[in-house]
Amino acid sequence: LLTVASVNDHRQEDEPRLMARTPGAVLGDGEALRSLTASCTWHDQGWGNRKGQMLLRVCDRRGRARREFDLFGIAPHSESHAVFELTSPADLGAIQPGDTAAVYYRVGGGGGHSLSVRNFMLTVSTIGKEVPRARMPREEEAHRNVTAAYVVVGSGGARVRIGPGLDAPAVGELAAGTVVEVATPPPPEHAGHPLVRSGRRVRVLAPVAGWASRTTGDGTPILRAHSRAAVLHEEATAEARRGAEEEAKRAEERRRQEEEQAKRQRFREEVAQKMAAERGERTTAAAAAAPARAR
């Protein structure tokens, strides 16, 4: 429904700023919303107060705000993948045919705040007005829900364009190592395109929707087939790495607290020693003064 390649904003403002708006209605007449999902990779300036935020605003046909949703909470300091899924029947039912959606972000006021967002995607699943399965064209039936995993292996990454042509407008960039979801076979309406027919161009579904090249013009690989097992392994590895990073942060925090506690203990001991020394000096002075008073 909506994709945004990247946003990097250093303007410190509390007011939400428009990031993207759906080109048309979220639902057509007679349709209902089954689910709505948003995802992205994001982070703030990496230090200080956390204020970054992303909002989804749904408006009716007249442009009046109907509902607003906080998508991912407050932006983290370190880059993280975030997912929002709307499944509540009450929330889903509040979005009506003809409504439009817009995504806003808030950097936050104050010195040094920034917000970085990559590969934002908003998708919806609808019910109603479905083509009967028995009457679906054979090519569309073959294309239905068939995907394959690829990984970006080109040293310069992969550029995603809105269409299969190499001159189509770019919609995003994928860094080397990114795992992408590719439609197989390609959509029937583009199957006759020379670059699609040759297999050089493929339809990318996630993390950015569009078209990308499997190879360069001279045959150098840009995308390589990626097994599901490898995807699961990478996800598990990434999760383990995040867990290790979190544990390292907790260990560092424990070490810092122990150091602070040790400093406070040393300070208390030094104060106690100083007070004891002062009491000893007063006692010695009093003892020395006693004979003089006796005389």
Side-chain angles (χ1 to χ4, degrees), residues 151-158 199-201 212-224:
V151 63
V152 179
V153 296
S155 59
R200 182 181 169 193
R201 298 284 284 173
S213 295
R214 291 180 60 246
T215 65
T216 62
D218 61 5
T220 303
I222 297 176
L223 300 178
R224 185 180 64 209

Side-chain angles (χ1 to χ4, degrees), residues 218-235:
D218 61 5
T220 303
I222 297 176
L223 300 178
R224 185 180 64 209
H226 201 53
S227 69
R228 180 58 181 164
V231 173
L232 293 175
H233 174 72
E234 286 193 1
E235 291 177 349

Side-chain angles (χ1 to χ4, degrees), residues 22-197:
T22 55
V26 176
L27 298 173
D29 291 337
E31 290 184 326
L33 197 61
R34 177 185 286 118
S35 67
L36 180 148
T37 304
S39 63
C40 76
T41 301
W42 71 329
H43 64 91
D44 65 5
Q45 69 281 352
W47 56 273
N49 293 330
R50 296 165 53 205
K51 295 184 178 181
Q53 196 174 12
M54 294 185 67
L55 307 169
L56 175 67
R57 185 174 298 167
V58 179
C59 298
D60 62 17
R61 295 176 188 267
R62 297 183 180 181
R64 297 173 300 189
R66 188 189 295 278
R67 295 293 298 273
E68 187 169 281
F69 302 97
D70 179 356
L71 289 179
F72 312 120
I74 304 300
H77 283 334
S78 58
E79 186 174 73
S80 302
H81 184 65
V83 177
F84 169 84
E85 187 171 9
L86 192 67
T87 56
S88 164
D91 290 334
L92 294 172
I95 301 175
Q96 299 296 312
D99 287 355
T100 58
V103 179
Y104 292 80
Y105 65 90
R106 178 184 291 119
V107 176
H113 287 285
S114 67
L115 187 67
S116 298
V117 181
R118 291 194 301 109
N119 299 335
F120 176 84
M121 181 179 296
L122 178 68
T123 59
V124 298
S125 174
T126 62
I127 54 178
K129 280 197 169 182
E130 295 182 348
V131 178
R133 192 172 181 82
R135 297 173 57 188
M136 184 176 293
R138 181 174 300 175
E139 294 82 5
E140 186 175 344
E141 178 68 19
H143 173 66
R144 188 181 179 92
N145 295 330
V146 181
T147 62
Y150 280 72
V151 63
V152 179
V153 296
S155 59
R159 177 166 296 169
V160 181
R161 298 183 181 275
I162 198 169
L166 295 176
D167 57 350
V171 296
E173 301 283 342
L174 299 173
T178 302
V179 176
V180 300
E181 186 179 354
V182 171
T184 57
E189 62 270 24
H190 296 292
H193 192 284
L195 294 176
V196 177
R197 191 169 59 247

